[in-house]
Every structure is written in C-alpha cells, then in structure tokens.
Amino acid sequence: MTQVQLSDPMRLVLAFVAAAGANGREMTGRGPTLQALKRRGLVEYRGSRALPRVNRWHASPDGRAWLAAQEARRDAR
C-alpha cells in the first residue's frame, strides 16, 4: 500500500473510527473529513445484518494498514 498523506483532522478521525474496532462508529456521514477518507478508501460505511439495522463507519483494511504503518514509523524514530 502506498502511503497517503493525510491532514491532521483526517488522521484524528481515522484513528477515532479505527478505535471502535468491529462495532464501528455511529457518526453522521455528511462531514467533509469522513467523505475525504472514504474517497481514499480508508473508511467505509457498512450496515449490520441484525435487526434493527445499524449503519456505522468502519476503518477499511487499507485504513487499518495505514494506521499500523504510521505507528511503525513513529516507533522506529
């Protein structure tokens, strides 16, 4: 995966969404930061199969890999 440059707000939102793990984060999807992350393929909006259906934001595999690479770079310093 290539390293995508993210702004500070994008980095914070990605970390916030990824911290929720498998449950995801219930957030409004109209924010420009979430939409920019979605266009880059780092977050995704998924629904549950169980009733009542709940749509939440999740870090995509690429988003989790981006965060892991950032942590590895920070630890290497």
Side-chain angles (χ1 to χ4, degrees), residues 26-75:
E26 193 169 344
M27 299 166 56
T28 172
R30 297 198 182 270
T33 306
L34 273 174
Q35 292 303 316
L37 288 169
K38 182 179 176 186
R39 281 192 303 272
R40 288 169 173 79
L42 299 175
V43 295
E44 53 196 18
Y45 194 63
R46 295 192 312 232
S48 66
R49 294 184 185 179
L51 293 176
R53 298 211 186 278
V54 177
N55 295 320
R56 295 177 180 226
W57 287 96
H58 298 268
S60 69
D62 284 344
R64 288 189 300 274
W66 189 92
L67 284 171
Q70 291 297 310
E71 288 179 16
R73 284 178 50 188
R74 186 179 60 227
D75 292 342

mmCIF file of all heavy atoms in Angstrom, residues 26-75:
data_model
loop_
_atom_site.group_PDB
_atom_site.id
_atom_site.type_symbol
_atom_site.label_atom_id
_atom_site.label_comp_id
_atom_site.label_asym_id
_atom_site.label_seq_id
_atom_site.Cartn_x
_atom_site.Cartn_y
_atom_site.Cartn_z
ATOM 1 N N GLU A 26 -20.929 5.164 15.121
ATOM 2 C CA GLU A 26 -22.160 5.746 14.593
ATOM 3 C C GLU A 26 -21.954 7.256 14.517
ATOM 4 O O GLU A 26 -21.928 7.948 15.526
ATOM 5 C CB GLU A 26 -23.338 5.409 15.501
ATOM 6 C CG GLU A 26 -24.659 5.709 14.878
ATOM 7 C CD GLU A 26 -25.799 5.134 15.682
ATOM 8 O OE1 GLU A 26 -25.585 4.284 16.532
ATOM 9 O OE2 GLU A 26 -26.928 5.580 15.437
ATOM 10 N N MET A 27 -21.748 7.738 13.292
ATOM 11 C CA MET A 27 -21.489 9.158 13.059
ATOM 12 C C MET A 27 -22.248 9.571 11.807
ATOM 13 O O MET A 27 -22.507 8.759 10.931
ATOM 14 C CB MET A 27 -19.991 9.408 12.822
ATOM 15 C CG MET A 27 -19.113 9.010 13.981
ATOM 16 S SD MET A 27 -17.366 8.925 13.564
ATOM 17 C CE MET A 27 -17.037 10.534 12.936
ATOM 18 N N THR A 28 -22.562 10.837 11.727
ATOM 19 C CA THR A 28 -23.188 11.336 10.519
ATOM 20 C C THR A 28 -22.177 11.260 9.379
ATOM 21 O O THR A 28 -20.999 11.503 9.576
ATOM 22 C CB THR A 28 -23.710 12.769 10.701
ATOM 23 O OG1 THR A 28 -24.139 13.256 9.450
ATOM 24 C CG2 THR A 28 -22.673 13.683 11.262
ATOM 25 N N GLY A 29 -22.626 10.904 8.215
ATOM 26 C CA GLY A 29 -21.726 10.711 7.088
ATOM 27 C C GLY A 29 -21.562 11.922 6.201
ATOM 28 O O GLY A 29 -21.023 11.824 5.112
ATOM 29 N N ARG A 30 -22.034 13.065 6.625
ATOM 30 C CA ARG A 30 -22.006 14.238 5.764
ATOM 31 C C ARG A 30 -20.775 15.117 5.951
ATOM 32 O O ARG A 30 -20.597 16.080 5.248
ATOM 33 C CB ARG A 30 -23.257 15.076 5.991
ATOM 34 C CG ARG A 30 -24.511 14.336 5.629
ATOM 35 C CD ARG A 30 -25.651 15.282 5.440
ATOM 36 N NE ARG A 30 -26.869 14.567 5.142
ATOM 37 C CZ ARG A 30 -27.258 14.268 3.927
ATOM 38 N NH1 ARG A 30 -26.528 14.592 2.897
ATOM 39 N NH2 ARG A 30 -28.391 13.631 3.727
ATOM 40 N N GLY A 31 -19.932 14.772 6.891
ATOM 41 C CA GLY A 31 -18.752 15.590 7.145
ATOM 42 C C GLY A 31 -17.731 15.477 6.028
ATOM 43 O O GLY A 31 -17.532 14.396 5.468
ATOM 44 N N PRO A 32 -17.076 16.566 5.683
ATOM 45 C CA PRO A 32 -16.097 16.525 4.594
ATOM 46 C C PRO A 32 -14.893 15.652 4.919
ATOM 47 O O PRO A 32 -14.304 15.046 4.021
ATOM 48 C CB PRO A 32 -15.698 17.983 4.410
ATOM 49 C CG PRO A 32 -16.058 18.665 5.681
ATOM 50 C CD PRO A 32 -17.207 17.905 6.250
ATOM 51 N N THR A 33 -14.550 15.535 6.197
ATOM 52 C CA THR A 33 -13.400 14.715 6.564
ATOM 53 C C THR A 33 -13.687 13.245 6.331
ATOM 54 O O THR A 33 -12.869 12.524 5.744
ATOM 55 C CB THR A 33 -13.023 14.960 8.036
ATOM 56 O OG1 THR A 33 -12.825 16.356 8.235
ATOM 57 C CG2 THR A 33 -11.774 14.218 8.413
ATOM 58 N N LEU A 34 -14.857 12.774 6.759
ATOM 59 C CA LEU A 34 -15.222 11.376 6.524
ATOM 60 C C LEU A 34 -15.341 11.083 5.033
ATOM 61 O O LEU A 34 -14.920 10.027 4.573
ATOM 62 C CB LEU A 34 -16.546 11.052 7.223
ATOM 63 C CG LEU A 34 -16.455 10.614 8.661
ATOM 64 C CD1 LEU A 34 -17.847 10.484 9.254
ATOM 65 C CD2 LEU A 34 -15.704 9.321 8.789
ATOM 66 N N GLN A 35 -15.904 12.002 4.285
ATOM 67 C CA GLN A 35 -16.056 11.783 2.847
ATOM 68 C C GLN A 35 -14.694 11.723 2.155
ATOM 69 O O GLN A 35 -14.489 10.929 1.240
ATOM 70 C CB GLN A 35 -16.938 12.872 2.227
ATOM 71 C CG GLN A 35 -18.382 12.797 2.668
ATOM 72 C CD GLN A 35 -19.016 11.449 2.359
ATOM 73 O OE1 GLN A 35 -18.840 10.908 1.282
ATOM 74 N NE2 GLN A 35 -19.749 10.916 3.316
ATOM 75 N N ALA A 36 -13.748 12.548 2.592
ATOM 76 C CA ALA A 36 -12.405 12.508 2.010
ATOM 77 C C ALA A 36 -11.718 11.181 2.328
ATOM 78 O O ALA A 36 -11.054 10.598 1.464
ATOM 79 C CB ALA A 36 -11.580 13.676 2.529
ATOM 80 N N LEU A 37 -11.891 10.684 3.549
ATOM 81 C CA LEU A 37 -11.319 9.383 3.901
ATOM 82 C C LEU A 37 -11.977 8.261 3.109
ATOM 83 O O LEU A 37 -11.315 7.308 2.686
ATOM 84 C CB LEU A 37 -11.474 9.130 5.406
ATOM 85 C CG LEU A 37 -10.588 9.959 6.318
ATOM 86 C CD1 LEU A 37 -11.043 9.805 7.766
ATOM 87 C CD2 LEU A 37 -9.135 9.577 6.159
ATOM 88 N N LYS A 38 -13.275 8.377 2.885
ATOM 89 C CA LYS A 38 -13.988 7.369 2.103
ATOM 90 C C LYS A 38 -13.493 7.351 0.655
ATOM 91 O O LYS A 38 -13.293 6.285 0.077
ATOM 92 C CB LYS A 38 -15.494 7.657 2.143
ATOM 93 C CG LYS A 38 -16.317 6.634 1.410
ATOM 94 C CD LYS A 38 -17.794 6.961 1.507
ATOM 95 C CE LYS A 38 -18.605 5.986 0.689
ATOM 96 N NZ LYS A 38 -20.013 6.354 0.658
ATOM 97 N N ARG A 39 -13.282 8.532 0.074
ATOM 98 C CA ARG A 39 -12.764 8.595 -1.305
ATOM 99 C C ARG A 39 -11.388 7.959 -1.423
ATOM 100 O O ARG A 39 -11.053 7.384 -2.448
ATOM 101 C CB ARG A 39 -12.697 10.041 -1.782
ATOM 102 C CG ARG A 39 -14.016 10.614 -2.219
ATOM 103 C CD ARG A 39 -13.837 11.930 -2.952
ATOM 104 N NE ARG A 39 -13.130 12.926 -2.169
ATOM 105 C CZ ARG A 39 -13.702 13.771 -1.319
ATOM 106 N NH1 ARG A 39 -15.007 13.724 -1.140
ATOM 107 N NH2 ARG A 39 -12.990 14.654 -0.656
ATOM 108 N N ARG A 40 -10.596 8.052 -0.368
ATOM 109 C CA ARG A 40 -9.262 7.451 -0.375
ATOM 110 C C ARG A 40 -9.295 5.971 -0.028
ATOM 111 O O ARG A 40 -8.269 5.300 -0.027
ATOM 112 C CB ARG A 40 -8.348 8.190 0.600
ATOM 113 C CG ARG A 40 -7.954 9.566 0.102
ATOM 114 C CD ARG A 40 -7.272 10.368 1.183
ATOM 115 N NE ARG A 40 -6.732 11.623 0.712
ATOM 116 C CZ ARG A 40 -7.435 12.723 0.492
ATOM 117 N NH1 ARG A 40 -8.746 12.705 0.674
ATOM 118 N NH2 ARG A 40 -6.863 13.823 0.075
ATOM 119 N N GLY A 41 -10.476 5.452 0.328
ATOM 120 C CA GLY A 41 -10.616 4.034 0.631
ATOM 121 C C GLY A 41 -10.145 3.642 2.020
ATOM 122 O O GLY A 41 -9.860 2.482 2.263
ATOM 123 N N LEU A 42 -10.082 4.605 2.934
ATOM 124 C CA LEU A 42 -9.582 4.314 4.278
ATOM 125 C C LEU A 42 -10.687 4.026 5.284
ATOM 126 O O LEU A 42 -10.433 3.433 6.330
ATOM 127 C CB LEU A 42 -8.706 5.472 4.767
ATOM 128 C CG LEU A 42 -7.464 5.735 3.905
ATOM 129 C CD1 LEU A 42 -6.729 6.969 4.405
ATOM 130 C CD2 LEU A 42 -6.551 4.539 3.881
ATOM 131 N N VAL A 43 -11.912 4.458 5.007
ATOM 132 C CA VAL A 43 -13.066 4.126 5.846
ATOM 133 C C VAL A 43 -14.207 3.684 4.949
ATOM 134 O O VAL A 43 -14.228 3.971 3.747
ATOM 135 C CB VAL A 43 -13.536 5.319 6.724
ATOM 136 C CG1 VAL A 43 -12.481 5.705 7.732
ATOM 137 C CG2 VAL A 43 -13.955 6.492 5.906
ATOM 138 N N GLU A 44 -15.145 2.957 5.542
ATOM 139 C CA GLU A 44 -16.320 2.513 4.786
ATOM 140 C C GLU A 44 -17.544 2.569 5.682
ATOM 141 O O GLU A 44 -17.434 2.452 6.895
ATOM 142 C CB GLU A 44 -16.098 1.112 4.219
ATOM 143 C CG GLU A 44 -15.689 0.087 5.248
ATOM 144 C CD GLU A 44 -15.117 -1.168 4.632
ATOM 145 O OE1 GLU A 44 -14.721 -1.148 3.466
ATOM 146 O OE2 GLU A 44 -15.071 -2.169 5.352
ATOM 147 N N TYR A 45 -18.687 2.746 5.062
ATOM 148 C CA TYR A 45 -19.967 2.848 5.762
ATOM 149 C C TYR A 45 -20.691 1.537 5.543
ATOM 150 O O TYR A 45 -21.034 1.188 4.412
ATOM 151 C CB TYR A 45 -20.753 4.020 5.176
ATOM 152 C CG TYR A 45 -21.927 4.470 5.999
ATOM 153 C CD1 TYR A 45 -21.751 4.979 7.270
ATOM 154 C CD2 TYR A 45 -23.212 4.405 5.489
ATOM 155 C CE1 TYR A 45 -22.823 5.424 8.015
ATOM 156 C CE2 TYR A 45 -24.291 4.842 6.228
ATOM 157 C CZ TYR A 45 -24.095 5.351 7.497
ATOM 158 O OH TYR A 45 -25.162 5.783 8.229
ATOM 159 N N ARG A 46 -20.869 0.755 6.618
ATOM 160 C CA ARG A 46 -21.485 -0.563 6.491
ATOM 161 C C ARG A 46 -22.671 -0.672 7.424
ATOM 162 O O ARG A 46 -22.718 -0.064 8.472
ATOM 163 C CB ARG A 46 -20.486 -1.656 6.860
ATOM 164 C CG ARG A 46 -19.312 -1.752 5.945
ATOM 165 C CD ARG A 46 -18.529 -3.023 6.208
ATOM 166 N NE ARG A 46 -18.253 -3.247 7.616
ATOM 167 C CZ ARG A 46 -17.043 -3.490 8.100
ATOM 168 N NH1 ARG A 46 -16.014 -3.490 7.314
ATOM 169 N NH2 ARG A 46 -16.878 -3.721 9.377
ATOM 170 N N GLY A 47 -23.592 -1.516 7.014
ATOM 171 C CA GLY A 47 -24.753 -1.796 7.843
ATOM 172 C C GLY A 47 -24.667 -3.174 8.456
ATOM 173 O O GLY A 47 -23.966 -4.044 7.957
ATOM 174 N N SER A 48 -25.399 -3.369 9.544
ATOM 175 C CA SER A 48 -25.428 -4.677 10.199
ATOM 176 C C SER A 48 -26.517 -5.526 9.569
ATOM 177 O O SER A 48 -27.440 -5.019 8.937
ATOM 178 C CB SER A 48 -25.686 -4.518 11.692
ATOM 179 O OG SER A 48 -26.980 -4.010 11.901
ATOM 180 N N ARG A 49 -26.405 -6.820 9.745
ATOM 181 C CA ARG A 49 -27.442 -7.730 9.239
ATOM 182 C C ARG A 49 -28.544 -7.949 10.266
ATOM 183 O O ARG A 49 -29.638 -8.340 9.915
ATOM 184 C CB ARG A 49 -26.810 -9.068 8.883
ATOM 185 C CG ARG A 49 -25.866 -8.961 7.722
ATOM 186 C CD ARG A 49 -25.339 -10.306 7.355
ATOM 187 N NE ARG A 49 -24.330 -10.165 6.317
ATOM 188 C CZ ARG A 49 -23.671 -11.148 5.807
ATOM 189 N NH1 ARG A 49 -23.893 -12.380 6.229
ATOM 190 N NH2 ARG A 49 -22.787 -10.954 4.861
ATOM 191 N N ALA A 50 -28.211 -7.713 11.522
ATOM 192 C CA ALA A 50 -29.182 -7.940 12.585
ATOM 193 C C ALA A 50 -30.221 -6.822 12.600
ATOM 194 O O ALA A 50 -29.973 -5.718 12.140
ATOM 195 C CB ALA A 50 -28.472 -7.982 13.930
ATOM 196 N N LEU A 51 -31.374 -7.140 13.131
ATOM 197 C CA LEU A 51 -32.413 -6.130 13.271
ATOM 198 C C LEU A 51 -32.362 -5.561 14.668
ATOM 199 O O LEU A 51 -32.143 -6.307 15.622
ATOM 200 C CB LEU A 51 -33.787 -6.745 13.008
ATOM 201 C CG LEU A 51 -34.011 -7.198 11.574
ATOM 202 C CD1 LEU A 51 -35.366 -7.869 11.453
ATOM 203 C CD2 LEU A 51 -33.906 -6.045 10.612
ATOM 204 N N PRO A 52 -32.521 -4.335 14.928
ATOM 205 C CA PRO A 52 -32.682 -3.276 13.933
ATOM 206 C C PRO A 52 -31.353 -2.992 13.235
ATOM 207 O O PRO A 52 -30.286 -3.067 13.841
ATOM 208 C CB PRO A 52 -33.117 -2.069 14.769
ATOM 209 C CG PRO A 52 -32.520 -2.316 16.108
ATOM 210 C CD PRO A 52 -32.507 -3.807 16.287
ATOM 211 N N ARG A 53 -31.423 -2.669 11.977
ATOM 212 C CA ARG A 53 -30.221 -2.411 11.197
ATOM 213 C C ARG A 53 -29.538 -1.127 11.682
ATOM 214 O O ARG A 53 -30.188 -0.127 11.932
ATOM 215 C CB ARG A 53 -30.562 -2.284 9.727
ATOM 216 C CG ARG A 53 -31.162 -3.552 9.171
ATOM 217 C CD ARG A 53 -30.801 -3.707 7.724
ATOM 218 N NE ARG A 53 -31.473 -4.838 7.118
ATOM 219 C CZ ARG A 53 -31.053 -6.089 7.219
ATOM 220 N NH1 ARG A 53 -29.994 -6.367 7.924
ATOM 221 N NH2 ARG A 53 -31.706 -7.061 6.615
ATOM 222 N N VAL A 54 -28.234 -1.213 11.800
ATOM 223 C CA VAL A 54 -27.445 -0.082 12.267
ATOM 224 C C VAL A 54 -26.330 0.156 11.257
ATOM 225 O O VAL A 54 -25.563 -0.748 10.953
ATOM 226 C CB VAL A 54 -26.840 -0.358 13.658
ATOM 227 C CG1 VAL A 54 -25.973 0.796 14.097
ATOM 228 C CG2 VAL A 54 -27.936 -0.626 14.673
ATOM 229 N N ASN A 55 -26.284 1.343 10.719
ATOM 230 C CA ASN A 55 -25.214 1.701 9.789
ATOM 231 C C ASN A 55 -24.141 2.457 10.553
ATOM 232 O O ASN A 55 -24.439 3.409 11.265
ATOM 233 C CB ASN A 55 -25.751 2.563 8.649
ATOM 234 C CG ASN A 55 -26.731 1.788 7.796
ATOM 235 O OD1 ASN A 55 -26.521 0.617 7.512
ATOM 236 N ND2 ASN A 55 -27.806 2.426 7.406
ATOM 237 N N ARG A 56 -22.895 2.027 10.381
ATOM 238 C CA ARG A 56 -21.790 2.644 11.108
ATOM 239 C C ARG A 56 -20.560 2.737 10.222
ATOM 240 O O ARG A 56 -20.424 2.016 9.248
ATOM 241 C CB ARG A 56 -21.446 1.822 12.349
ATOM 242 C CG ARG A 56 -22.568 1.816 13.349
ATOM 243 C CD ARG A 56 -22.228 0.957 14.523
ATOM 244 N NE ARG A 56 -23.346 0.999 15.454
ATOM 245 C CZ ARG A 56 -23.212 1.164 16.733
ATOM 246 N NH1 ARG A 56 -22.031 1.293 17.268
ATOM 247 N NH2 ARG A 56 -24.262 1.194 17.517
ATOM 248 N N TRP A 57 -19.659 3.629 10.615
ATOM 249 C CA TRP A 57 -18.384 3.802 9.923
ATOM 250 C C TRP A 57 -17.370 2.827 10.484
ATOM 251 O O TRP A 57 -17.277 2.628 11.695
ATOM 252 C CB TRP A 57 -17.876 5.224 10.106
ATOM 253 C CG TRP A 57 -18.648 6.204 9.305
ATOM 254 C CD1 TRP A 57 -19.686 6.972 9.729
ATOM 255 C CD2 TRP A 57 -18.474 6.516 7.927
ATOM 256 N NE1 TRP A 57 -20.154 7.743 8.698
ATOM 257 C CE2 TRP A 57 -19.424 7.484 7.580
ATOM 258 C CE3 TRP A 57 -17.590 6.067 6.949
ATOM 259 C CZ2 TRP A 57 -19.523 8.009 6.303
ATOM 260 C CZ3 TRP A 57 -17.694 6.587 5.669
ATOM 261 C CH2 TRP A 57 -18.649 7.550 5.352
ATOM 262 N N HIS A 58 -16.611 2.205 9.590
ATOM 263 C CA HIS A 58 -15.561 1.264 9.962
ATOM 264 C C HIS A 58 -14.284 1.643 9.227
ATOM 265 O O HIS A 58 -14.337 2.123 8.092
ATOM 266 C CB HIS A 58 -15.936 -0.167 9.555
ATOM 267 C CG HIS A 58 -17.154 -0.675 10.236
ATOM 268 N ND1 HIS A 58 -17.116 -1.383 11.405
ATOM 269 C CD2 HIS A 58 -18.465 -0.561 9.921
ATOM 270 C CE1 HIS A 58 -18.338 -1.695 11.770
ATOM 271 N NE2 HIS A 58 -19.179 -1.207 10.895
ATOM 272 N N ALA A 59 -13.146 1.385 9.847
ATOM 273 C CA ALA A 59 -11.874 1.543 9.147
ATOM 274 C C ALA A 59 -11.743 0.377 8.168
ATOM 275 O O ALA A 59 -11.977 -0.771 8.535
ATOM 276 C CB ALA A 59 -10.717 1.540 10.130
ATOM 277 N N SER A 60 -11.428 0.671 6.922
ATOM 278 C CA SER A 60 -11.239 -0.386 5.931
ATOM 279 C C SER A 60 -9.908 -1.083 6.209
ATOM 280 O O SER A 60 -9.085 -0.590 6.992
ATOM 281 C CB SER A 60 -11.240 0.215 4.528
ATOM 282 O OG SER A 60 -10.080 0.994 4.346
ATOM 283 N N PRO A 61 -9.661 -2.231 5.574
ATOM 284 C CA PRO A 61 -8.350 -2.873 5.752
ATOM 285 C C PRO A 61 -7.194 -1.940 5.390
ATOM 286 O O PRO A 61 -6.159 -1.932 6.060
ATOM 287 C CB PRO A 61 -8.421 -4.080 4.812
ATOM 288 C CG PRO A 61 -9.877 -4.410 4.748
ATOM 289 C CD PRO A 61 -10.572 -3.075 4.814
ATOM 290 N N ASP A 62 -7.376 -1.134 4.353
ATOM 291 C CA ASP A 62 -6.332 -0.167 3.989
ATOM 292 C C ASP A 62 -6.165 0.890 5.073
ATOM 293 O O ASP A 62 -5.051 1.339 5.346
ATOM 294 C CB ASP A 62 -6.655 0.515 2.660
ATOM 295 C CG ASP A 62 -6.402 -0.384 1.470
ATOM 296 O OD1 ASP A 62 -5.695 -1.402 1.632
ATOM 297 O OD2 ASP A 62 -6.897 -0.071 0.378
ATOM 298 N N GLY A 63 -7.263 1.303 5.690
ATOM 299 C CA GLY A 63 -7.187 2.288 6.773
ATOM 300 C C GLY A 63 -6.451 1.741 7.979
ATOM 301 O O GLY A 63 -5.621 2.426 8.584
ATOM 302 N N ARG A 64 -6.738 0.479 8.344
ATOM 303 C CA ARG A 64 -6.024 -0.137 9.461
ATOM 304 C C ARG A 64 -4.544 -0.313 9.129
ATOM 305 O O ARG A 64 -3.681 -0.107 9.984
ATOM 306 C CB ARG A 64 -6.675 -1.466 9.827
ATOM 307 C CG ARG A 64 -8.018 -1.287 10.518
ATOM 308 C CD ARG A 64 -8.563 -2.575 11.075
ATOM 309 N NE ARG A 64 -8.793 -3.602 10.081
ATOM 310 C CZ ARG A 64 -9.898 -3.723 9.364
ATOM 311 N NH1 ARG A 64 -10.881 -2.873 9.540
ATOM 312 N NH2 ARG A 64 -10.022 -4.689 8.482
ATOM 313 N N ALA A 65 -4.237 -0.671 7.877
ATOM 314 C CA ALA A 65 -2.833 -0.815 7.462
ATOM 315 C C ALA A 65 -2.124 0.536 7.498
ATOM 316 O O ALA A 65 -0.949 0.610 7.890
ATOM 317 C CB ALA A 65 -2.768 -1.416 6.057
ATOM 318 N N TRP A 66 -2.823 1.609 7.112
ATOM 319 C CA TRP A 66 -2.221 2.942 7.150
ATOM 320 C C TRP A 66 -1.863 3.321 8.579
ATOM 321 O O TRP A 66 -0.775 3.827 8.842
ATOM 322 C CB TRP A 66 -3.187 3.961 6.546
ATOM 323 C CG TRP A 66 -2.575 5.302 6.362
ATOM 324 C CD1 TRP A 66 -1.948 5.773 5.259
ATOM 325 C CD2 TRP A 66 -2.522 6.363 7.328
ATOM 326 N NE1 TRP A 66 -1.506 7.057 5.473
ATOM 327 C CE2 TRP A 66 -1.837 7.448 6.730
ATOM 328 C CE3 TRP A 66 -2.969 6.511 8.623
ATOM 329 C CZ2 TRP A 66 -1.602 8.639 7.391
ATOM 330 C CZ3 TRP A 66 -2.734 7.702 9.287
ATOM 331 C CH2 TRP A 66 -2.058 8.753 8.665
ATOM 332 N N LEU A 67 -2.786 3.068 9.505
ATOM 333 C CA LEU A 67 -2.515 3.382 10.911
ATOM 334 C C LEU A 67 -1.353 2.551 11.453
ATOM 335 O O LEU A 67 -0.499 3.063 12.188
ATOM 336 C CB LEU A 67 -3.762 3.142 11.756
ATOM 337 C CG LEU A 67 -4.852 4.198 11.650
ATOM 338 C CD1 LEU A 67 -6.114 3.727 12.369
ATOM 339 C CD2 LEU A 67 -4.388 5.515 12.205
ATOM 340 N N ALA A 68 -1.303 1.265 11.101
ATOM 341 C CA ALA A 68 -0.219 0.396 11.564
ATOM 342 C C ALA A 68 1.127 0.879 11.019
ATOM 343 O O ALA A 68 2.134 0.878 11.744
ATOM 344 C CB ALA A 68 -0.478 -1.042 11.143
ATOM 345 N N ALA A 69 1.150 1.315 9.764
ATOM 346 C CA ALA A 69 2.390 1.815 9.172
ATOM 347 C C ALA A 69 2.831 3.105 9.864
ATOM 348 O O ALA A 69 4.026 3.315 10.098
ATOM 349 C CB ALA A 69 2.201 2.052 7.675
ATOM 350 N N GLN A 70 1.882 3.959 10.207
ATOM 351 C CA GLN A 70 2.218 5.195 10.912
ATOM 352 C C GLN A 70 2.786 4.900 12.294
ATOM 353 O O GLN A 70 3.748 5.531 12.728
ATOM 354 C CB GLN A 70 0.986 6.096 11.038
ATOM 355 C CG GLN A 70 0.527 6.677 9.723
ATOM 356 C CD GLN A 70 1.584 7.574 9.119
ATOM 357 O OE1 GLN A 70 2.110 8.448 9.761
ATOM 358 N NE2 GLN A 70 1.897 7.321 7.868
ATOM 359 N N GLU A 71 2.200 3.925 12.987
ATOM 360 C CA GLU A 71 2.709 3.553 14.306
ATOM 361 C C GLU A 71 4.108 2.959 14.193
ATOM 362 O O GLU A 71 4.975 3.240 15.022
ATOM 363 C CB GLU A 71 1.760 2.568 14.981
ATOM 364 C CG GLU A 71 0.469 3.199 15.444
ATOM 365 C CD GLU A 71 -0.465 2.198 16.089
ATOM 366 O OE1 GLU A 71 -0.005 1.099 16.457
ATOM 367 O OE2 GLU A 71 -1.649 2.526 16.219
ATOM 368 N N ALA A 72 4.345 2.145 13.166
ATOM 369 C CA ALA A 72 5.666 1.546 12.970
ATOM 370 C C ALA A 72 6.711 2.624 12.676
ATOM 371 O O ALA A 72 7.831 2.568 13.191
ATOM 372 C CB ALA A 72 5.618 0.524 11.836
ATOM 373 N N ARG A 73 6.337 3.616 11.870
ATOM 374 C CA ARG A 73 7.256 4.711 11.570
ATOM 375 C C ARG A 73 7.557 5.529 12.822
ATOM 376 O O ARG A 73 8.682 5.940 13.048
ATOM 377 C CB ARG A 73 6.673 5.616 10.489
ATOM 378 C CG ARG A 73 6.768 5.019 9.108
ATOM 379 C CD ARG A 73 6.165 5.890 8.060
ATOM 380 N NE ARG A 73 6.661 7.266 8.138
ATOM 381 C CZ ARG A 73 6.181 8.254 7.434
ATOM 382 N NH1 ARG A 73 5.178 8.045 6.605
ATOM 383 N NH2 ARG A 73 6.682 9.466 7.540
ATOM 384 N N ARG A 74 6.527 5.743 13.637
ATOM 385 C CA ARG A 74 6.720 6.509 14.869
ATOM 386 C C ARG A 74 7.596 5.737 15.853
ATOM 387 O O ARG A 74 8.460 6.310 16.509
ATOM 388 C CB ARG A 74 5.364 6.831 15.500
ATOM 389 C CG ARG A 74 5.469 7.748 16.702
ATOM 390 C CD ARG A 74 4.142 8.078 17.315
ATOM 391 N NE ARG A 74 3.473 6.879 17.765
ATOM 392 C CZ ARG A 74 2.212 6.578 17.527
ATOM 393 N NH1 ARG A 74 1.470 7.402 16.821
ATOM 394 N NH2 ARG A 74 1.676 5.480 17.956
ATOM 395 N N ASP A 75 7.404 4.413 15.950
ATOM 396 C CA ASP A 75 8.211 3.599 16.863
ATOM 397 C C ASP A 75 9.659 3.479 16.410
ATOM 398 O O ASP A 75 10.555 3.307 17.218
ATOM 399 C CB ASP A 75 7.600 2.205 17.007
ATOM 400 C CG ASP A 75 6.260 2.254 17.732
ATOM 401 O OD1 ASP A 75 5.978 3.268 18.406
ATOM 402 O OD2 ASP A 75 5.506 1.273 17.632
#
